[in-house]
Structure formats: structure tokens, C-alpha cells
Amino acid sequence: MGDVMNATSRLVLFCVLIAVCSSHPTKYPDVNLDVYRAKGTPPPFLSYHIHCMFIAYNNDSISAAMDLRNRFIQHFNLSSAKPCEGTFHQGRLCIFDVSHTNYGPDDPFVSAYWAVFVPMEWYAKTVPWVMQNRGDQDILVHPNSGAEVSDHIHWPLWMGAKWPINAQAFTNQTAF
């Protein structure tokens, strides 16, 4: 009976996590991509996301990814910091809460991941740290400009293996 309750509790928690998880993409409603398209120039990068990709339902992969997450939190003194909220610009370095950490696929990603919001002024500190401390973890760093497809498909930086991304999931299909 305890095993059934434990399995049921985990299934309910997983479903809740999937239902509320949405750390993607960062929205910039004031960015008018038509203006940049008319100028023939891409929009500026306004912030970044760092994503640690891992294999859903694989305890070893989850453990390694969560270990890197915990070390990131410790290194950047985010233990008592308020987690990121919603999909709009955060204005501060923050890590998406566990309730926004996806243990299963969540568009546009076809894998599990955890994510960090990185303001421009934190890029030079956070990205090199992740490069040197990621171990075998596969990492995606992408800009947030409002051009979702280009941010994730054309302009990202990958460390380790490049994982597939479902570009059809983006609400704004403008590419530069």
C-alpha cells in the first residue's frame, strides 16, 4: 500500500510540476521586431538563459544536473535569493525555482532541464563558471532578444552535446 501511495504521490507531483513549469522564453513585450526587420538589423540581446539539460527519469543524470545546480546556487550566493518569477525580464541574477525545473520535456525543449536568468552584467561571471564546472553536463546558453527562434536556434552557445529544440513551440516565429 505504501509503494502505491509513494508512486501516486510522485506522479501527482510530476504532473503538477509539468503543469506549472514555464521558464521559457523570457518575454519582452516592448520589443517590436518589425522595427529591427525594417532596419535590416537583429534586435539587441537584453539578457540570457543558462539551461542545464539532462535525461528525464534517469536518476544518475538528474543527480548530476541537480549537483551542478546546487553548486551554482552556492557559488553565486543564491541560497536565500528569491527565485525567478514568471517569463518576463527578471532584472537580477536568479535561478528558476524547483517548481520551474522540468524533470520531463517542456516545450521548446525535448528533454529535462533547469534554468538560470542571467542579466547582461552577469554574463561574464556566470558563463565562464559554468564552462569550467559543468563536468559532463550539456549546457545551452541563449540570448533573450524577443526573437525566440533566433535566440534558441541561430544564436545560442552549446557546451557539450547539442540537444534538439522544438522551434515550432515558439509564439513568435520571426527569425533574423
Side-chain angles (χ1 to χ4, degrees):
M1 183 69 162
D3 289 340
V4 172
M5 288 300 290
N6 191 17
T8 302
S9 297
R10 284 191 306 215
L11 179 60
V12 169
L13 176 61
F14 175 74
C15 291
V16 168
L17 285 172
I18 294 301
V20 301
C21 293
S22 179
S23 65
H24 246 94
T26 294
K27 303 290 184 184
Y28 289 98
D30 296 335
V31 174
N32 183 345
L33 296 177
D34 292 332
V35 170
Y36 294 100
R37 193 176 305 103
K39 291 180 186 177
T41 61
F45 297 163
L46 302 170
S47 64
Y48 290 86
H49 281 169
I50 298 172
H51 295 270
C52 177
M53 315 305 276
F54 57 94
I55 301 168
Y57 318 111
N58 178 302
N59 289 338
D60 292 337
S61 182
I62 292 169
S63 178
M66 292 301 109
D67 178 63
L68 179 59
R69 182 180 187 272
N70 291 336
R71 288 186 293 127
F72 185 96
I73 289 169
Q74 293 282 331
H75 184 80
F76 291 102
N77 298 315
L78 297 173
S79 298
S80 59
K82 190 174 169 183
C84 299
E85 296 177 347
T87 59
F88 290 93
H89 187 75
Q90 304 294 313
R92 62 191 170 82
L93 179 65
C94 59
I95 195 158
F96 288 91
D97 193 35
V98 162
S99 66
H100 284 82
T101 296
N102 300 291
Y103 289 102
D106 182 41
D107 275 338
F109 301 110
V110 297
S111 64
Y113 68 91
W114 58 261
V116 178
F117 179 87
V118 181
M120 297 296 288
E121 63 272 17
W122 279 93
Y123 183 91
K125 293 177 184 159
T126 56
V127 173
W129 186 91
V130 171
M131 286 176 169
Q132 293 177 329
N133 291 277
R134 71 177 184 84
D136 292 333
Q137 297 304 122
D138 299 319
I139 305 292
L140 165 67
V141 178
H142 70 80
N144 294 310
S145 71
E148 299 167 358
V149 172
S150 292
D151 288 346
H152 292 81
I153 304 299
H154 303 296
W155 301 330
L157 165 69
W158 283 94
M159 299 172 225
K162 182 177 179 180
W163 292 48
I165 293 178
N166 177 13
Q168 298 303 312
F170 298 119
T171 57
N172 184 334
Q173 289 292 313
T174 300
F176 286 84

